[in-house]
Amino acid sequence: IVLSMVMGAAAIWTLSSVSHIVLICICAFLAGLTSELYRPSASALLSESVDEKHRITAFAMLRFCINLGWSLGPAMGGWLASHSFVMLFRLDALTCVGFGCLAFFGLSKNEKKHVTWDGLGRIPGHLAEQFKITWQNPPFRRLMLSNTLIAFVFIQWISTLGIAMEKAGLTPSQYGLVLGLNGVLIVLFEIPLTAWTRRHGPTKMISLGYFLIAISVLFMAFNPSMSQYFMGMAVFTFGEMICLPVSMAYVSRLAPSHQRGRYMGMNGISWSTAFLFGPSMGMVLCPMFPNGFWIACACLGAIAVVIMTPIKHNRE
């Protein structure tokens, strides 16, 4: 976690100082790579620090903190950008350093080490091995496949929504209000909602959340009004709140204790794969097929629900 934050801070700080497009792309790539390295380790650490029965609530609390920053960050970023884009990036780098210091001084130095470092050259082999191990785990394989599909739908609410609202004649401030609703609902309801989701089987809750995300995009399929965008975002957010904390806790339960970090990383890859292609595909296809695109997204979500729906009536 400390290494991720220090390297991420260096990449973001450097990004604020370059102007050539090639250097900007290189620094942006390095910033994305290094600043995200902490996630699998942080998720594995949280899983090891919390009893299984409390993990859904713990992951919901983690998401609460992230979404609190998500709610405040754009407003603060907009204010900083209006004064100095360079200062925006450099303060961002300093927050990474702050996180790294909290991890270095505040977390235990006696953590369990499940594997030994054997060099950069072994990374491709480890990655291939992990794909093989996780693919041979049927419940995790189902989760990976459904995650990739639902993540494609998920990312459209972040990337393509702006284009759809602009085409509908709505303003950037109205777009901001719709996005802001997501953060407000998460801050108010996600943690209390875990008291209900914990009482049900994880795959049933994941399927329910994916179902709500799938139908949420249908609100944008047929000449939507501002109220429909709000309703769609509300349905989407409740789907997100139901499935994501449960999904993270489910991964920690499926993973052997010595491989939780790897399983968390593989789970992240399933989402990142869709995030890699989803925004560009949405920005191309949505203007060409404004109604059909959202219907197709709902169909992808429905397939994700079918994949995750438990075949047997158990507590899976």
Side-chain angles (χ1 to χ4, degrees), residues 180-196:
L181 177 64
N182 176 263
V184 170
L185 290 176
I186 287 173
V187 168
L188 291 177
F189 294 108
E190 179 155 340
I191 294 176
L193 195 59
T194 62
W196 175 71

Side-chain angles (χ1 to χ4, degrees), residues 1-14 34-35 38 89-106:
I1 293 171
V2 173
L3 182 65
S4 172
M5 290 300 105
V6 170
M7 292 194 302
I12 293 168
W13 189 285
T14 306
T34 56
S35 62
Y38 83 96
F89 281 88
R90 293 186 176 177
L91 285 176
D92 191 13
L94 291 176
T95 61
C96 291
V97 173
F99 181 12
C101 289
L102 285 172
F104 183 79
F105 293 107

Side-chain angles (χ1 to χ4, degrees), residues 31-306:
L33 174 68
T34 56
S35 62
E36 293 294 314
L37 283 175
Y38 83 96
R39 288 188 185 274
S41 294
S43 297
L45 181 61
L46 182 62
S47 297
E48 291 184 353
S49 304
V50 179
D51 293 338
E52 182 177 336
K53 64 180 180 179
H54 296 305
R55 282 180 192 154
I56 293 175
T57 303
F59 280 111
M61 178 62 76
L62 179 63
R63 278 178 38 81
F64 170 83
C65 296
I66 292 171
N67 281 282
L68 190 60
W70 176 265
S71 300
L72 300 175
M76 294 176 63
W79 182 83
L80 285 169
S82 67
H83 291 77
S84 170
F85 265 107
V86 173
M87 185 60 66
L88 170 64
F89 281 88
R90 293 186 176 177
L91 285 176
D92 191 13
L94 291 176
T95 61
C96 291
V97 173
F99 181 12
C101 289
L102 285 172
F104 183 79
F105 293 107
L107 296 179
S108 171
K109 303 298 189 298
N110 300 314
E111 298 162 346
K112 291 186 291 184
K113 296 181 177 65
H114 298 298
V115 294
T116 56
W117 172 250
D118 51 8
L120 290 172
R122 289 283 295 155
I123 290 178
H126 284 314
L127 187 60
E129 177 188 1
Q130 190 59 41
F131 267 112
K132 181 179 178 180
I133 291 171
T134 53
W135 194 252
Q136 292 173 345
N137 184 328
F140 191 74
R141 181 171 67 236
R142 286 165 48 201
L143 182 66
M144 291 272 287
L145 289 172
S146 61
N147 277 353
T148 304
L149 294 174
I150 205 66
F152 183 90
V153 184
F154 189 103
I155 194 62
Q156 305 311 322
W157 275 103
I158 302 171
S159 59
T160 313
L161 174 64
I163 293 177
M165 293 187 70
E166 183 182 24
K167 292 289 184 182
L170 301 173
T171 65
S173 62
Q174 291 173 307
Y175 170 68
L177 287 173
V178 173
L179 279 185
L181 177 64
N182 176 263
V184 170
L185 290 176
I186 287 173
V187 168
L188 291 177
F189 294 108
E190 179 155 340
I191 294 176
L193 195 59
T194 62
W196 175 71
T197 58
R198 286 168 50 189
R199 296 200 297 266
H200 301 275
T203 55
K204 293 177 182 177
M205 291 295 96
I206 295 170
S207 298
L208 175 60
Y210 286 2
F211 173 75
L212 293 176
I213 292 173
I215 64 172
S216 69
V217 294
L218 293 177
F219 284 89
M220 295 185 282
F222 305 102
N223 301 317
S225 62
M226 188 64 182
S227 61
Q228 287 174 277
Y229 283 114
F230 273 122
M231 287 188 290
M233 178 58 80
V235 172
F236 165 79
T237 304
F238 274 95
E240 176 188 0
M241 290 189 292
I242 290 171
C243 69
L244 292 190
V246 176
S247 176
M248 295 297 290
Y250 185 52
V251 172
S252 73
R253 195 180 82 176
L254 292 176
S257 61
H258 65 287
Q259 287 202 330
R260 282 203 179 104
R262 288 187 174 186
Y263 270 71
M264 292 294 183
M266 294 299 296
N267 184 60
I269 286 176
S270 66
W271 282 82
S272 298
T273 301
F275 281 20
L276 179 64
F277 300 105
S280 55
M281 292 180 65
M283 290 179 185
V284 171
L285 295 175
C286 183
M288 295 173 60
F289 310 102
N291 297 332
F293 173 75
W294 298 113
I295 296 173
C297 285
C299 292
L300 287 179
I303 296 172
V305 173
V306 171

